[in-house]
Amino acid sequence: VGILEYSSPVRIKTGPLQDAYQVNMPLHGRPRLSYGKQAVLVSPRLAAVHGLDKETALEGWQEPSRMLGLKIPRRLVDQELASLLDREPEKPVEFTGTLDFTGRPGREWRQAVELLASGLAGSDTLLANPLIAGPAVQSGVRGLLLAAPNNYTAELTGETAAVDSAAVRRAVDFIEARAHLPVTLEEIAARACVSPRSLQLGFRAHLNATPMEVLRAVRMRKAREELLSAAPQVRVGEVAARWGFAHAGRFAIQYAKT
């Protein structure tokens, strides 16, 4: 998070960011920003959102301007997108290039980011506490994915209808039968004859869980059943690994919690 300010006209060119996304939002003034062949005149009502693989340029400050900038690592964007989709994304996020602050989603996201930026000033900030900082960052990244148009917007915000209980039952039966094997959300949805998004909504409506949460719960139950009937010499880690829990220490914690 940073503030960008100059006292004379400037032009700055940079290469592709590659491993991060950039959001530039003027607090006042109207600099010109470009990403590849796309150019936009940003203002307090419109931010620029730059992607990964094209050159960027910034020019302005013929008149006073002050700009708040965010640089967000791609790994964080991918991580939060996977959580929202309940699956690993097939390709990187591609933003359309701008974020409109005149609508409510953009306006609320801007307010949250400005609050985050102001909280970074001073040593007594709550953001020094990881318990506060982590959720604040997560909220900022998820908010950007939901507010700024991108190639996943339709899936993230679309009005897809939830599937009926029969489709959910087919999906759960498939999970029960294949819990010992690598299973993806797409495979579960295909077996239930519905789209991944519809299946997610159906699971939330009927089971108050995501398909992958149900898969983890089934694997935990089956691991427990095997442990209860296992011979004394059987190692817990071996049983955990058979049911998809690769880290024995994390399995022990999840097992106790369950």
Side-chain angles (χ1 to χ4, degrees):
V1 181
I3 295 291
L4 195 59
E5 216 171 5
Y6 291 93
S7 58
S8 61
V10 299
R11 177 173 174 79
I12 303 170
K13 294 182 68 176
T14 61
L17 296 171
Q18 296 183 334
D19 60 355
Y21 294 88
Q22 181 80 23
V23 184
N24 290 317
M25 38 196 290
L27 302 176
H28 59 79
R30 293 168 62 85
R32 182 179 185 274
L33 291 101
S34 61
Y35 174 65
K37 295 182 179 181
Q38 180 186 34
V40 58
L41 198 64
V42 293
S43 71
R45 299 164 62 89
L46 186 71
V49 187
H50 295 156
L52 305 168
D53 59 356
K54 297 181 179 65
E55 290 187 346
T56 62
L58 182 156
E59 57 184 316
W61 283 271
Q62 288 85 352
E63 60 184 61
S65 180
R66 183 177 173 88
M67 190 160 64
L68 176 64
L70 301 178
K71 189 174 184 180
I72 307 175
R74 175 184 171 179
R75 61 178 179 80
L76 280 182
V77 175
D78 289 347
Q79 173 184 302
E80 296 308 323
L81 177 62
S83 296
L84 290 171
L85 296 175
D86 195 31
R87 63 177 172 81
E88 291 299 320
E90 303 86 8
K91 52 188 177 181
V93 177
E94 296 176 8
F95 292 100
T96 61
T98 59
L99 174 53
D100 185 357
F101 292 139
T102 61
R104 183 169 182 176
R107 188 166 62 249
E108 290 180 345
W109 183 81
R110 179 191 174 106
Q111 291 168 350
V113 169
E114 289 178 343
L115 183 63
L116 174 66
S118 66
L120 293 173
S123 59
D124 58 345
T125 173
L126 281 173
L127 290 172
N129 187 328
L131 296 177
I132 301 297
V137 170
Q138 182 185 64
S139 176
V141 177
R142 289 193 176 192
L144 180 66
L145 286 166
L146 293 168
N150 61 77
N151 54 327
Y152 287 96
T153 294
E155 189 171 357
L156 290 171
T157 63
E159 298 298 326
T160 307
V163 298
D164 60 21
S165 59
V168 172
R169 182 72 259 165
R170 288 195 299 272
V172 171
D173 289 344
F174 179 71
I175 288 172
E176 290 275 357
R178 304 271 295 185
H180 61 295
L181 299 172
V183 178
T184 67
L185 175 64
E186 288 74 18
E187 290 173 330
I188 300 172
R191 188 56 179 258
C193 302
V194 297
S195 72
R197 180 62 175 165
S198 293
L199 186 68
Q200 288 175 315
L201 293 174
F203 266 63
R204 183 60 65 188
H206 296 286
L207 302 177
N208 194 30
T210 69
M212 304 316 286
E213 286 172 345
V214 171
L215 174 61
R216 286 190 289 271
V218 168
R219 285 173 170 169
M220 182 63 73
R221 171 168 52 80
K222 289 182 177 291
R224 180 172 188 268
E225 290 171 355
E226 184 172 338
L227 286 169
L228 289 174
S229 60
Q233 67 270 22
V234 173
R235 296 173 64 86
V236 172
E238 295 173 356
V239 174
R242 265 198 296 278
W243 292 104
F245 300 97
H247 193 286
R250 293 196 193 105
F251 170 76
I253 294 172
Q254 292 173 13
Y255 185 93
K257 184 182 295 185
T258 303

